[in-house]
Amino acid sequence: QVHLVESGGGLVQPGGSLRLSCGGSGFTFSSYAMSWYRQAPGKEREFVAAITWNGRDTYYTDSVKGRFTVSRDNAKNMMSLQMNSLKPEDTAVYYCAAHPRIGREADYWGQGTQVTVSS
């Protein structure tokens, strides 16, 4: 059975940092491109960041470039999102997803973790 589990969300003040993690099981994690999406209240889910199966290439939406860093450890079946200089507009539920390759629809999704940026 496939599982993607996010962790690391929480409440942080503007300008602060959080590190999200996503653990995968039940599929060949190292063969999949991985991504982060987020959904704010009343808004559609949007792409945040992605990383190729081998970690060599990363992609970011413009609003997080220079603040967020995506990485992965295939030996541990883990992906991370380091989020720095957080802003209130980063508040959302963050989801990780597994794609057969970059640009393809996700085969698997996690359940999400809440990130709230507020003073």
Side-chain angles (χ1 to χ4, degrees):
Q1 189 173 3
V2 172
H3 290 285
L4 278 176
V5 180
E6 302 94 338
S7 61
L11 173 64
V12 63
Q13 292 187 343
S17 299
L18 277 178
R19 187 176 181 87
L20 304 184
S21 296
C22 171
S25 62
F27 65 105
T28 307
F29 183 90
S30 59
S31 296
Y32 279 75
M34 298 295 295
S35 67
W36 290 97
Y37 281 73
R38 66 187 179 186
Q39 187 168 20
K43 296 186 177 181
E44 293 188 353
R45 187 161 54 188
E46 66 170 352
F47 168 78
V48 176
I51 187 167
T52 51
W53 66 273
N54 57 7
R56 290 180 182 174
D57 295 302
T58 57
Y59 306 86
Y60 300 93
T61 192
D62 285 347
S63 63
V64 308
K65 285 180 181 177
R67 300 188 298 123
F68 291 11
T69 303
V70 60
S71 60
R72 67 189 296 162
D73 184 343
N74 286 341
K76 296 181 179 179
N77 286 3
M78 294 289 293
M79 173 180 65
S80 296
L81 184 69
Q82 178 66 42
M83 306 186 294
N84 299 328
S85 302
L86 283 161
K87 304 175 181 180
E89 51 263 43
D90 295 317
T91 295
V93 178
Y94 284 70
Y95 300 88
C96 66
H99 308 254
R101 59 182 300 173
I102 289 288
R104 294 280 298 274
E105 291 292 319
D107 284 350
Y108 311 117
W109 289 90
Q111 84 290 347
T113 186
Q114 176 71 46
V115 172
T116 303
V117 184
S118 175
S119 55

